[in-house]
Amino acid sequence: MGNRIPKRDKLGLHGNVEKICINILALSIRASLENKLVKQETIRELRIDIETIKYLIRIESELNIIQEKHYLSLEEKLQEISKEATGWEKYTNKSSL
């Protein structure tokens, strides 16, 4: 998918999408290794980045930067990731009470 994106988009909007994806991975790893007090804030940042990436992917689809079939596949995966992060946040909040 990445090789078919025009250079203008690859360095622009899609470049930001890639950076946020890397940040999501980093936040997930950090949250898994942190203590409970710090973990809640990291998971909150993680959820914000996930929601941001969902909107950016939708914009990429609307601007025809990515094909609809790729958008649908990504959106399905992002929904699952979002559910997992929300569950993780709820579990962390419940166990810290």
Side-chain angles (χ1 to χ4, degrees), residues 78-90:
L78 286 169
Q79 289 296 332
E80 184 61 31
I81 291 168
S82 181
K83 287 178 189 175
E84 292 289 332
T86 301
W88 194 10
E89 182 179 42
K90 287 180 182 178

Side-chain angles (χ1 to χ4, degrees), residues 32-72:
S32 71
L33 299 173
E34 289 177 329
N35 65 40
K36 291 181 183 181
L37 299 175
V38 183
K39 185 180 297 231
Q40 291 174 333
E41 182 58 35
T42 304
I43 293 173
R44 182 105 175 108
E45 289 179 47
L46 173 67
R47 290 195 55 224
I48 290 169
D49 275 1
I50 292 168
E51 293 304 313
T52 302
I53 201 85
K54 286 165 60 176
Y55 284 105
L56 291 176
I57 294 291
R58 184 179 314 138
I59 290 169
E60 282 191 321
S61 174
E62 291 171 357
L63 294 174
N64 295 318
I65 295 172
I66 60 173
Q67 297 175 355
E68 185 176 356
K69 67 180 181 179
H70 291 175
Y71 165 72
L72 295 173

